[in-house]
C-alpha cells in the first residue's frame, strides 16, 4: 500500500515539474488579451447609452429616501 502511494506521489511530482509555468510569449499574449478586453469594456462603459443608464441609476440612488 505504501509503495503504491509513493509511486503515485513520485509520478505526481514529475508531472508538476514538467510545466514550470508560462513562457514569455504566453505572458505577452495574456497581457495583450487583457488590454484588448479593457479597451472594449472602456468603450462600452463610456458609450452614450450605458453612460446615461449609469447616471440614471446613480441619480436614483442619491435621491433615495432613508
Amino acid at each position: 500500500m505504501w509503495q503504491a502511494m509513493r509511486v503515485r506521489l513520485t509520478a505526481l511530482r514529475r508531472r508538476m515539474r514538467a510545466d514550470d509555468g508560462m513562457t514569455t510569449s504566453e505572458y505577452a499574449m495574456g497581457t495583450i488579451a487583457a488590454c484588448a478586453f479593457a479597451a472594449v469594456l472602456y468603450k462600452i462603459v463610456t458609450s452614450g447609452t450605458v453612460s446615461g443608464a449609469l447616471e440614471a441609476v446613480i441619480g436614483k440612488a442619491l435621491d433615495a429616501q432613508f
Side-chain angles (χ1 to χ4, degrees), residues 19-34:
D19 186 18
D20 293 332
M22 291 195 303
T23 62
T24 303
S25 62
E26 290 171 331
Y27 278 115
M29 292 303 295
T31 302
I32 290 170

Side-chain angles (χ1 to χ4, degrees), residues 36-47:
F37 180 71
V40 169
L41 188 60
Y42 177 77
K43 283 299 227 179
I44 291 171
V45 170
T46 57
S47 70

Side-chain angles (χ1 to χ4, degrees), residues 2 10 17-18 23-24 27 34 45-48 50-51 55 63 66:
W2 291 107
T10 303
R17 275 188 264 148
T23 62
T24 303
Y27 278 115
V45 170
T46 57
S47 70
V50 175
S51 180
E55 287 177 10
D63 289 337
F66 290 102

